[in-house]
Amino acid sequence: MNHALSATVQAILARVALSIQQHPKRLAAAVGTVLLCGGGGAFAVANLAPDPSDMPVRQILQSVEPVAAALSDDTDQPILRLYRHETVRSSDSADSLLKRLGIADPAAAAFLRNDPRVRQAVWGRAGRVVSAEATDGHALLRLTARWSADDAEQFQRLVVEKTPTGFVSSVQAAPTTVSSRLASGSIQSSLLAATDDANIPESVANQIAEIFSSQIDFRRSLRKGDRFSVVYETIEADGEMLRAGRVLSAEFVNDGKSMQAMWYQPAGQKGGYFTLEGKGLNTAYLSSPVEFSRVSSGFSNRFHPVLQQWRMHLGTDFAAPQGTPVRTVGDGVVEFAGVQNGYGNVVFVRHRDSHTTVYAHLSKINVARGQKVEQGQNVGLVGRTGWATGPHLHFEFRVNGVQQDPMVMARQSESAQLSAAARPAFDRLAASTRIQLQTANQSVLASAD
């Protein structure tokens, strides 16, 4: 009996297998129908579940610990720390600086007032950047100040730290790093105002004006809507900028005319600024011995304010505040440094080709007779000594002892030229500079839109 049943089952399975081979699509449809019906059955069962609104509700009340407390390890060490940066002002005291830093800590203020390292490094050092780390209760944990000389490759770091026994201070030395920044802006009133709006340091603005001084009269030729782009070095300490360095490249669009420049220094030679086509922009003489000053009296006939008579003014007067740095307009040797008649404190610098420049009415002389000076080097400070009714610089340019118009002499002076050997390296640098300036130019146009 069992044997007969087994034979029957085998016959049925054989027929099913043959049917699957002959009609696979019919079998797939049949399986899908079964699954669909199964799904519908499941759906029907699900719909028979109780209504959530009929289910019992239980309310649980439990106090929740604040996040800060939950993170605490039951020690006095704070979890949240606050960081802030400020620039030291000449009038700053411990209390005023800490207040701007958002710190209320009498013990820290007392330490900063009395510590000799802090007194030497911070108070009266306007412009130095100070960073502070504080607790969420506004107590000082750490204060750091960084500074360096203009030509130094190292910086000094003052650190004031809170310890279990009180505050301690130390001064450390570390190497500076050099980086570069790209910035751009648009003229609305003046170059200085535009660079301020773009957070560009004043020293960079001065360099831009100097680079293009032979092509643009920044006192009279600027137009609203003129734009500029600049790439400049930054001297940094611990990732923070100490000061701006040299302008590496720049573009200025004045009244629709684009002018580009970049710094290039061939190996073993003196560097200078060139157009991207290779034309030198550095002339033998600067157009002004005082950065960003105003010409109060040009090379012309005028009524003398002291002598009270009309006479030829054989120089150019630059209006500037007392103590403004004065620079030599070209390389040379100091021929005279001292007091002379109506000039007051005066410096004479002898250049090549029988050229001499004169810097008068100085409040202080910073060079000595016989000293060699380079273009742009400080020779003194603006004052009102001699025949002067107010602080200003009287500047003369003499050729064989005869006064000439300084502005004309600056424009006519020759510029540096590239050698054939330096040309390949220059062209490679110019190609990358074009890309940088194009990127900066697109950013200023986008911001204008």
Side-chain angles (χ1 to χ4, degrees), residues 3-22 27:
H3 179 73
L5 180 61
S6 175
T8 302
V9 170
Q10 288 179 1
I12 293 172
L13 291 175
R15 287 196 297 270
V16 170
L18 180 62
S19 178
I20 292 173
Q21 290 178 358
Q22 293 176 346
L27 180 64

Side-chain angles (χ1 to χ4, degrees), residues 423-440:
R423 192 76 203 204
F426 176 88
D427 289 340
R428 288 193 296 271
L429 181 59
S432 62
T433 297
R434 283 189 179 92
I435 296 174
Q436 285 183 329
L437 292 177
Q438 184 179 7
T439 302

